[in-house]
Amino acid sequence: MREAGEEGRAEGETDCPGNGGGSAPGGESTDTCPELAAALDGHALVNLTGPPGIGKTWLAERATARAPGRGSPLEGALLIDLARPDAAQRLRAYADGDEPGPLVLDSVDGPGRAERARRALDGLRRQPHRTLLISRRPLRAQCAWADTAMADVAVAPSTERAVLDRAAALGVTSPEEQALVGLLSGGVPLLAAAACRALHHGVPAAAPGAVADRVATEILTRLERELPGRQSLYVLRRLATVGSGDEHLLGTGPGLFTSLADLSVVGCGPLGLTVLEPYRTVIELAYQWRKPVAHRSAQDRAARYRRELLVREQHPGGRADLVEQGLFLSGDPMLRATLFPTADTPARIAPANLGDADDIGRLMHAWTLTNGFDRRRSERLTETWLDTGISGFHVARDREGTPVGLTYLAPMGENAAQCVEPLLQQHAEPVSAATGPGALFLGAAYSADRGTHARILRHILKNATSREHLVVSTTSGDYQQLMGRLRFSEHGATRDDVYRCGRRPRVYSHDFRAASLPGWLAGLGGPDQGAPPGAVPQVDMLVARALGRIGNLGALADNPLVGLPGIPDARTLQDRLHEAVRELAGSEERADAEAGAILRAYYFRPGCTHHQVARDLHLSRATYFRRLSRGHAALGALLLQRRPTA
């Protein structure tokens, strides 16, 4: 998970889209990114930053080798890699020149290199008119560069589409393998290329830990220049496993803890250090594959430690941070995939202000279309929420400050009559009596970006922990499944189809009071052992999303499952899902047949609840949700195995 960087960036720092990594583009434009070009045009000194493998050197090479007539401040520049043995000799030769041209210094990180680069530039008889410094961390964090005027450009990850296009160009074309490359890379070109090499080596996609192990080896090799020594790399694996760790949890001394904090793939959060995504996911999967018992033991120890701290924590904000870590350590694969995806983002979330009204309207319109709601009904609801106080909306903003997601999260007592009761209906009075007026009400949550959406969900849960109760009204099958996994109390469906979408909202609530939190986290359960082999990570989530909107072709068209071999459009996906559920329900394997029966009853029978289906099938709550997860994973495997027929 990622906790660092939530407070935004330093003034003047911009993002540059990732490229194909190292030797070749990954689907992005072959030109230098606009942010880097603008910085070079306006500043004599530019610092290009980003974690290992993000594509910094490739972008710099593009900037120094632009086509004739295009013009570039770095065209014809001398590029010196400070990690190479001949770096000092090349710097001296450059310093002895009479007319120093543009200069690019790469690998300006590692012990002593930032200071060496500073001395080298200060020692020049004439300063180059343009200098590009490439480092993993911003150089202004170093004492030698703290007071230097320079432009900072951070290289952002590539888009998922760019990564998958690059994987296809490298010969990785099957949906199962592409899904794994997307999961492990998180938009980092080096990781995508390493995953492709592992697959070509013969490592099967059905063993994601084995593929991750080869990718992790490349990551750890790259990090050795920052922190040599095997002990530190072992502790890094432990940190990736526990999510966030202090000295006690990691079992380190002060010196090693400080050294870990300096790594370019490590950030700091309220509960200690954390490995940034997607590096965390790769390193943890590799560790789990190599040492499954030690991996599980580390997670269990960390979960117990967090619950012990939770019992003692008096501050609501501290409890919220510990609850978030407890959810990460629960071992539930759906919670991990939904709340802590590999493709994380640094979105900042805060209550809306008056200037956000237009963006709220735009995002709520997208929410309406995604869920297949009646437009007029949704618009009236949005207007009501805005009229009763715009601060009930919390807006997620990207690095540039653009609103990219939102949630409606308002205290029930202040807005019950106009905003809450229409979505709770007959459940309004008993829910209010059980939770009290201070409870938060969740009416909407939306972002088209998966990482931002996960941050919004975590933001909701952290606020609920502070306010002690959360009430949810939702028609979404995804959210209803999430409520089940989080052990929310289900109150049932409303009388009316509020949004005129063919699905009545279901109402849930949960008690987040301090005394109940440790026991709740302890009871969330471990990983589902019933999933069939060969299921691709996160594909089951896409299946669940598609089943929840099985009657809405518009929503199905946006599902990434459309585009798999043999699934060219939403109608075909709809037909394949119906066919796959029938096939699963008719299986001779009892667990598969039960999973198919659950999918058929819950998704294809209007108005059925998880409780009703479990009761009708005579299944316990625990068995029901295990079978439900098994069904999603099985359908994902069936869809991936299908090929177009003649």
Side-chain angles (χ1 to χ4, degrees):
M1 56 186 291
R2 183 174 181 175
E3 293 177 347
E6 293 193 29
E7 297 305 318
R9 294 176 166 267
E11 184 178 355
E13 187 174 4
T14 59
D15 280 320
C16 181
N19 59 79
S23 60
E28 304 287 353
S29 169
T30 56
D31 290 331
T32 304
C33 75
E35 293 81 3
L36 178 57
L40 290 169
D41 284 336
H43 298 81
L45 194 60
V46 177
N47 184 199
L48 186 65
T49 65
I54 199 71
K56 303 180 296 295
T57 301
W58 186 89
L59 282 171
E61 289 173 346
R62 293 295 304 170
T64 62
R66 298 285 290 273
R70 299 290 295 277
S72 169
L74 288 182
E75 191 167 352
L78 176 65
L79 195 156
I80 300 176
D81 187 345
L82 296 184
R84 294 176 59 89
D86 63 348
Q89 179 182 351
R90 298 187 70 196
L91 272 171
R92 284 194 298 270
Y94 179 84
D96 291 339
D98 294 328
E99 295 291 338
L103 179 64
V104 178
L105 295 182
D106 200 355
S107 305
V108 189
D109 34 37
R113 287 190 190 152
E115 293 79 3
R116 193 187 318 161
R118 174 81 273 179
R119 289 195 301 270
L121 286 180
D122 289 344
L124 295 176
R125 288 181 297 170
R126 295 182 60 184
Q127 291 294 313
H129 64 276
R130 286 291 184 277
T131 302
L132 179 65
L133 302 165
I134 304 175
S135 60
R136 293 173 179 174
R137 296 271 199 186
L139 285 175
R140 283 194 282 197
Q142 302 282 338
C143 291
W145 294 92
D147 299 326
T148 304
M150 69 175 79
D152 297 320
V153 179
V155 183
S158 298
T159 63
E160 182 179 11
R161 184 70 267 157
V163 168
L164 298 184
D165 286 346
R166 178 59 182 159
L170 293 174
V172 174
T173 57
S174 79
E176 186 179 16
E177 292 178 337
Q178 285 229 327
L180 184 57
V181 171
L183 172 72
L184 296 180
S185 71
V188 177
L190 169 73
L191 307 191
C196 290
R197 286 194 292 273
L199 293 167
H200 286 310
H201 189 78
V203 183
V211 178
D213 186 62
R214 287 183 169 266
V215 180
T217 299
E218 296 208 26
I219 295 173
L220 298 180
T221 300
R222 291 281 187 112
L223 291 176
E224 284 180 349
R225 84 177 190 216
E226 298 181 47
L227 186 60
R230 304 305 300 176
Q231 181 186 3
S232 59
L233 301 183
Y234 293 145
V235 178
L236 189 66
R237 296 196 304 184
R238 195 179 312 147
L239 176 58
T241 296
V242 301
S244 188
D246 53 25
E247 277 189 29
H248 175 77
L249 185 56
L250 296 179
T252 67
L256 180 54
F257 188 84
T258 299
S259 298
L260 283 172
D262 286 337
L263 284 177
S264 59
V265 298
V266 172
C268 299
L271 300 180
L273 303 180
T274 181
V275 182
L276 306 182
E277 294 289 4
Y279 306 92
R280 192 212 61 76
T281 292
V282 173
I283 294 171
E284 185 196 2
L285 274 175
Y287 184 42
Q288 183 180 21
W289 180 70
R290 286 199 176 200
K291 294 188 172 183
V293 175
H295 170 269
R296 188 67 238 182
S297 176
Q299 279 197 329
D300 289 343
R301 176 175 175 268
R304 289 193 299 271
Y305 178 59
R306 294 306 182 200
R307 291 197 294 271
E308 290 172 6
L309 293 179
L310 190 57
V311 171
R312 305 171 190 170
E313 181 60 58
Q314 299 298 314
H315 192 273
R319 288 198 297 270
D321 292 327
L322 289 165
V323 165
E324 181 174 309
Q325 274 294 288
L327 293 171
F328 175 85
L329 294 165
S330 68
D332 188 304
M334 180 191 175
L335 294 183
R336 179 70 69 86
T338 304
L339 299 175
F340 308 96
T342 309
D344 201 4
T345 62
R348 294 172 289 114
I349 306 172
N353 54 58
L354 292 176
D356 294 324
D358 289 343
D359 288 306
I360 288 172
R362 170 178 59 83
L363 291 167
M364 286 295 291
H365 180 68
W367 174 74
T368 297
L369 293 178
T370 299
N371 287 281
F373 295 159
D374 178 79
R375 181 176 58 83
R376 292 183 179 178
R377 283 274 177 140
S378 296
E379 287 176 353
R380 284 198 294 271
L381 182 64
T382 301
E383 290 171 1
T384 300
W385 288 349
L386 287 171
D387 289 342
T388 54
I390 197 169
S391 61
F393 284 97
H394 294 220
V395 176
R397 305 175 192 277
D398 62 15
R399 285 187 173 105
E400 285 71 42
T402 303
V404 292
L406 57 68
T407 179
Y408 182 73
L409 191 64
M412 286 186 60
E414 301 172 12
N415 303 285
Q418 291 177 280
C419 302
V420 176
E421 290 181 5
L423 297 178
L424 300 182
Q425 296 184 4
Q426 75 271 26
H427 304 294
E429 186 173 338
V431 167
S432 297
T435 61
L440 285 178
F441 171 73
L442 173 62
Y446 172 77
S447 177
D449 176 73
R450 185 170 59 203
T452 302
H453 186 251
R455 279 192 177 266
I456 290 171
L457 294 178
R458 300 203 302 269
H459 174 81
I460 292 166
L461 292 171
K462 292 183 81 167
N463 276 270
T465 303
S466 298
R467 296 297 293 260
E468 297 190 338
H469 285 92
L470 178 65
V471 178
V472 180
S473 175
T474 178
T475 66
S476 166
D478 292 350
Y479 285 173
Q480 290 168 8
Q481 186 180 6
L482 181 61
M483 296 299 100
R485 291 301 184 97
L486 289 172
R487 305 294 190 261
F488 273 49
S489 298
E490 182 177 355
H491 300 279
T494 60
R495 288 187 300 266
D496 303 324
D497 178 0
V498 178
Y499 299 103
R500 296 292 186 266
C501 62
R503 306 183 307 277
R504 291 179 293 162
R506 306 204 66 78
V507 179
Y508 302 83
S509 67
H510 188 69
D511 179 1
F512 284 91
R513 285 176 294 188
S516 67
L517 294 176
W520 169 61
L521 289 174
L524 288 180
D528 177 21
Q529 302 298 324
V536 177
Q538 298 193 17
V539 171
D540 56 339
M541 295 294 297
L542 300 178
V543 169
R545 187 189 309 171
L547 287 171
R549 299 159 188 164
I550 191 69
N552 186 335
L553 290 178
L556 287 179
D558 293 331
N559 195 297
L561 292 173
V562 173
L564 292 179
I567 308 180
D569 51 39
R571 177 69 70 183
T572 305
L573 175 59
Q574 186 183 59
D575 293 342
R576 289 289 174 84
L577 287 172
H578 278 284
E579 178 188 350
V581 169
R582 284 196 300 270
E583 184 175 333
L584 192 64
S587 172
E588 295 181 359
E589 174 68 36
R590 177 179 176 182
D592 284 341
E594 289 178 346
I598 288 172
L599 297 180
R600 184 166 55 192
Y602 181 69
Y603 290 109
F604 300 154
R605 191 189 305 165
C608 268
T609 68
H610 291 302
H611 175 74
Q612 290 170 337
V613 176
R615 182 192 61 200
D616 292 346
L617 296 177
H618 306 291
L619 298 174
S620 69
R621 183 182 182 87
T623 300
Y624 173 84
F625 282 107
R626 283 200 303 271
R627 295 292 186 265
L628 182 65
S629 293
R630 183 185 184 94
H632 292 148
L635 259 63
L638 285 171
L639 291 176
L640 292 174
Q641 290 167 6
R642 298 294 172 84
R643 295 294 184 267
T645 56

